[in-house]
Amino acid sequence: MSEELIQIETPFAFNAENQREFDELIGRYPIKEAAMLPTLHLAQRQAGYITPAVMKYVAELLEVTVMKVKDVVTFYPMFFEEPVGEYVIRVCHTLPCALRDCKVVLDHLKAKLDTDIASETNLAKGTTADGKFTLMKVECLASCDVAPVIMVNDDLYKNLTPEKVDEVLDNL
Amino acid sequence: MVEERRILYEHLDVPDINTFDVFRQYDGYTRFEKAIAEYQPEEIAQMVLDSGLKGRGGAGFSTGEKWSFVPRDIKPCYLCCNADESEPGTFSNRYVLEKNPHLLIEGILICCYAMGIETTYIYIRGEFTLGKKMLDAAIKEAYEKGYLGKDIRGTGLNVDIYSHPGAGAYICGEETGLIESLEGKRGQPRNKPPFPAVEGVFRKPTVVQNVETLCNLPFIVGNGVEWYTQMGPTYADTRFDPPKPDANTGTKLYCISGDVNEPGVYELDLGLTCTELIEVAGGLRGEEVKAVIPGGSSAPILTHYELDTRLDFTSLTLAKSMLGSGGIIVMNETRNIVDCLLNIMKFYAHESCGQCTPCRWGTPWVRDIVQRIADGNGRKDTITRPKFGVAENGRWGDTGETEEIYEDLDLLESVANNIANVDTMTWNTICVFGIAVSWPAVSYMRKFRPEFEATIREGKLVTLPVAEATVPPEENYAYQQRFVPKEFADL
């Protein structure tokens, strides 16, 4: 990532609330770098996704290189490097959900939102034109007893059928 | 019918058990108080060793033994609680975190007291947002009530607990992967040795325990070792002379999902059979059991001939499978094993951390082979090659017969075995992820070979009736070695 690229981005800084939370976080670890994941979660919550400016900011906070932050961001599926919709819909498609027809739920969501499924390298593919939803498949969400499940942002919805999916989307 | 024995889950459904006051009404923190009042730290560690408690996270290693490897003179020592529950089919920790987080805190306190640990990190899955919220609230409350922090209850004991969110990587459930991730790096597992007990997080001795293991501690301390060892079978390990007792004590939170009528978590004594467990979970949804995965998606599959296998650490190891994290997935007669394997291989190809070459390249390769078979493009060629043997003229040579060859099945087995060899149990990777890939790949293919062959032959997914899809027990590589061990008490 070149310096130029970082400069054309809007600079990023934590707001007061997140700064407070960060100050509390950093005291938990004997080395600053260890606060990487919680800090990136905070930053993503504020910025929507991890921009190069966010990486630069986090790197300065944790006293590591930008490359090291990038290294971590690219490893974990929960960090986005591209803009995502207001609601991120994660559809579990691992075996226990597959045995309970998660494909029906996924196809229904695809038709209803009129979008494809996002891939990790192309989130725009699964984002609706109005930028409201991003549809993605994820691996096991550890709720196999109430399969099929989806997660909409932070909330888990269980035992889904196409009708229940409609209900969930209407209530957002 | 086997009765549920709720110990860890006993008060799970009590309203507001997640609050300190209600938890306290149900003996909350009294076991910790008993521990610090009546026992020395070494005595607690000895009790855990005597109880035979085995780690519930997957490897099934004796907890007490693990603790005994931790050097007591190097400080600080850390405890990492593994709440990164991501094995497909496992979901018991989620309920503990969401509904009864104080039980986990009490377990952590007992472990910290026994091991002289002052700092604990709970590595919680990034997707467990509700669980993290409840856990953080409980930790905050415990600090306020004086059960965490400095000089707990005037005993001079200091314990801090911090929750640390993961970010969706399966491999961070592996203990050294978890440690790397906790240090703020990519979650790529470390070479062992040194084991975390000697050199773990921040290069200090570290105890890594699963949520369920830690939740067992209050009950071992509260009710005593004798009470605990009554539950579950203890076998004789006859490889030793005299036979060494092999304990499978305590209860297990069995997570059952798939084709059963009442999927969910059932807390039962270790050592019941697959058939019994399916019965407890409201019976099978469908006509016939086709296959059972006994310990999360990494575990080798069991056929309907093997349903009498007891679900405990020892019996499943002998049956060449594993109890793992206790996630049981049941499949009925309508399921296609090729399709199921494809689903699982997609999971592993996605989750390989990319550190070791055999795994990084092998997992997508295996996935592609299974995909090809499932798409109907399996390299059947049912190529025929001359079969060598004693020919008509009585001499060694071409017998004139031909042999059908399923090239892709041989390739699948070869690639999988080169990530980790299931027969010799050696892996060419740093961590056991390798074996978690080749175990399902090879076991599904060997045990349900007729279904794979039919799929390749017909050029489309073919679901055979259960009896035809499964290889008979005498040809089943795992069935051969399987024996139900004698109870230690019988000897």
Side-chain angles (χ1 to χ4, degrees):
Chain A
M1 187 179 334
S2 70
E3 278 297 317
E4 290 159 43
L5 194 67
I6 293 167
Q7 277 157 8
I8 51 170
E9 292 259 350
T10 342
F12 174 85
F14 276 144
N15 59 26
E17 189 198 338
N18 284 341
Q19 184 63 44
R20 239 191 336 272
E21 209 166 315
F22 173 78
D23 291 339
E24 199 256 323
L25 267 178
I26 200 82
R28 297 176 171 188
Y29 307 95
I31 54 170
K32 282 191 173 176
E33 191 189 343
M36 183 79 84
L37 296 189
T39 310
L40 284 170
H41 274 299
L42 273 184
Q44 179 159 287
R45 210 185 309 155
Q46 188 181 321
Y49 66 104
I50 310 282
T51 60
V54 171
M55 287 186 217
K56 187 165 182 269
Y57 181 71
V58 171
E60 278 162 13
L61 280 179
L62 302 179
E63 293 167 12
V64 293
T65 59
V66 181
M67 204 55 231
K68 209 147 191 180
V69 181
K70 173 102 179 162
D71 196 34
V72 171
V73 170
T74 51
F75 186 79
Y76 295 93
M78 279 182 83
F79 297 130
F80 306 128
E81 282 187 274
E82 287 174 62
V84 284
E86 188 187 342
Y87 297 101
V88 177
I89 304 177
R90 295 180 162 91
V91 184
C92 174
H93 73 293
T94 315
L95 188 59
C97 276
L99 295 176
R100 293 268 172 168
D101 293 333
C102 71
K103 199 165 181 311
V104 177
V105 172
L106 190 63
D107 289 343
H108 182 74
L109 274 165
K110 261 168 80 176
K112 192 167 164 88
L113 300 176
D114 188 26
T115 175
D116 207 348
I117 301 160
S119 73
E120 258 165 50
T121 45
N122 188 358
L123 292 169
K125 198 168 80 173
T127 308
T128 51
D130 58 0
K132 206 167 173 203
F133 297 100
T134 298
L135 180 65
M136 55 171 68
K137 288 203 284 190
V138 292
E139 300 300 351
C140 193
L141 287 172
S143 302
C144 317
D145 52 339
V146 287
V149 291
I150 64 170
M151 254 181 107
V152 181
N153 288 351
D154 287 350
D155 300 315
L156 186 80
Y157 297 92
K158 307 162 179 177
N159 289 324
L160 291 172
T161 55
E163 296 77 53
K164 280 194 192 165
V165 170
D166 288 342
E167 215 175 289
V168 169
L169 291 183
D170 291 343
N171 291 337
L172 285 176
Chain B
M1 186 156 141
V2 182
E3 287 290 311
E4 252 199 282
R5 191 202 303 253
R6 286 194 157 210
I7 294 169
L8 272 63
Y9 266 27
E10 190 183 358
H11 304 305
L12 196 75
D13 297 322
V14 174
D16 296 329
I17 189 78
N18 59 318
T19 60
F20 182 86
D21 294 331
V22 177
F23 183 66
R24 191 81 181 137
Q25 281 170 26
Y26 293 92
D27 296 339
Y29 292 107
T30 52
R31 284 89 32 131
F32 166 63
E33 282 162 3
K34 184 181 172 194
I36 50 176
E38 295 178 20
Y39 300 104
Q40 291 300 314
E42 293 75 18
E43 287 175 304
I44 304 275
Q46 189 60 42
M47 277 169 88
V48 174
L49 185 64
D50 293 342
S51 74
L53 174 66
K54 284 187 174 173
R56 302 294 200 239
F61 193 76
S62 160
T63 306
E65 224 170 293
K66 195 191 248 182
W67 290 9
S68 70
F69 300 146
V70 179
R72 293 222 169 223
D73 50 343
I74 304 175
K75 296 286 168 204
C77 175
Y78 294 98
L79 169 63
C80 290
C81 171
N82 187 344
D84 188 67
E85 183 170 54
S86 21
E87 180 78 23
T90 319
F91 42 91
S92 59
N93 295 355
R94 173 194 277 275
Y95 289 115
V96 174
L97 294 164
E98 287 179 1
K99 293 185 175 176
N100 198 358
H102 279 291
L103 180 63
L104 174 62
I105 297 175
E106 190 177 3
I108 289 174
L109 280 169
I110 293 172
C111 177
C112 287
Y113 173 65
M115 301 305 298
I117 295 169
E118 297 197 344
T119 312
T120 299
Y121 297 103
I122 303 177
Y123 189 96
I124 183 165
R125 247 193 109 159
E127 287 90 341
F128 284 4
T129 38
L130 178 63
K132 184 165 185 303
K133 203 174 114 200
M134 302 309 257
L135 180 68
D136 283 342
I139 292 173
K140 192 161 167 265
E141 222 178 353
Y143 269 108
E144 281 163 11
K145 301 285 179 183
Y147 281 87
L148 285 177
K150 297 267 171 283
D151 194 17
I152 295 167
R153 317 296 295 161
T155 55
L157 192 67
N158 309 322
V159 177
D160 283 312
I161 299 182
Y162 306 117
S163 68
H164 183 100
Y170 169 78
I171 195 62
C172 296
E174 202 273 349
E175 57 179 0
T176 53
L178 184 149
I179 286 170
E180 285 283 302
S181 179
L182 188 60
E183 290 182 359
K185 302 176 198 146
R186 297 165 82 97
Q188 294 178 323
R190 290 179 186 168
N191 258 318
K192 289 185 267 189
F195 287 91
V198 180
E199 194 180 299
V201 69
F202 311 123
R203 304 273 160 201
K204 295 288 182 227
T206 305
V207 182
V208 186
Q209 302 282 204
N210 180 261
V211 171
E212 195 184 331
T213 317
L214 289 168
C215 288
N216 269 293
L217 300 179
F219 302 101
I220 294 175
V221 171
N223 301 341
V225 171
E226 208 165 295
W227 169 85
Y228 193 81
T229 47
Q230 277 169 9
M231 297 180 289
T234 299
Y235 301 115
D237 192 339
T238 46
R239 286 169 302 177
F240 296 91
D241 187 33
K244 206 171 115 184
D246 188 6
N248 287 273
T249 46
T251 59
K252 176 87 190 77
L253 299 171
Y254 289 104
C255 312
I256 182 161
S257 60
D259 294 321
V260 288
N261 287 319
E262 292 161 27
V265 184
Y266 295 90
E267 186 167 6
L268 299 147
D269 286 9
L270 276 162
L272 80 168
T273 65
C274 278
T275 319
E276 285 169 333
L277 184 67
I278 293 171
E279 200 184 319
V280 172
L284 182 77
R285 200 180 64 151
E287 300 291 315
E288 223 180 324
V289 179
K290 187 167 191 172
V292 173
I293 302 174
S297 65
S298 317
I301 204 162
L302 299 178
T303 65
H304 72 282
Y305 294 111
E306 293 161 284
L307 292 182
D308 57 343
T309 309
R310 298 175 79 172
L311 296 170
D312 59 49
F313 296 103
T314 311
S315 307
L316 278 168
T317 308
L318 290 168
K320 294 213 164 198
S321 186
M322 66 162 182
L323 183 60
S325 49
I328 287 108
I329 307 171
V330 181
M331 293 171 222
N332 67 18
E333 78 288 349
T334 63
R335 305 302 176 186
N336 187 296
I337 301 296
V338 183
D339 206 22
C340 292
L341 180 62
L342 176 61
N343 186 301
I344 291 178
M345 286 306 126
K346 280 182 179 167
F347 172 82
Y348 286 108
H350 179 259
E351 295 296 344
S352 172
C353 79
Q355 189 176 206
C356 317
T357 312
C359 176
R360 181 176 66 243
W361 291 100
T363 47
W365 194 356
V366 172
R367 177 201 61 198
D368 291 347
I369 297 168
V370 183
Q371 178 80 59
R372 193 160 67 211
I373 297 172
D375 288 347
N377 304 324
R379 291 186 192 151
K380 45 179 173 313
D381 303 335
T382 34
I383 348 165
T384 46
R385 72 176 170 204
K387 195 176 176 183
F388 288 93
V390 181
E392 273 176 15
N393 58 8
R395 302 181 70 165
W396 181 263
D398 184 356
T399 55
E401 295 168 42
T402 50
E403 207 181 350
E404 277 192 331
I405 301 194
Y406 294 91
E407 200 188 332
D408 263 351
L409 296 186
D410 293 347
L411 185 64
L412 174 67
E413 182 161 341
S414 160
V415 176
N417 270 337
N418 274 307
I419 304 172
N421 192 313
V422 298
D423 296 316
T424 57
M425 281 298 287
T426 47
W427 44 94
N428 299 330
T429 50
I430 288 174
C431 75
V432 287
F433 187 96
I435 199 99
V437 179
S438 56
W439 249 347
V442 174
S443 72
Y444 287 35
M445 202 273 289
R446 285 190 188 164
K447 291 185 181 183
F448 292 92
R449 192 167 173 114
E451 191 152 290
F452 281 81
E453 288 182 355
T455 300
I456 294 178
R457 217 169 29 237
E458 308 270 327
K460 60 174 200 284
L461 275 183
V462 182
T463 309
L464 296 175
V466 178
E468 287 173 37
T470 323
V471 299
E474 57 274 15
E475 287 172 29
N476 181 339
Y477 76 106
Y479 199 87
Q480 300 286 335
Q481 279 88 355
R482 190 187 71 133
F483 72 95
V484 179
K486 265 189 192 169
E487 301 250 352
F488 188 63
D490 295 348
L491 278 169

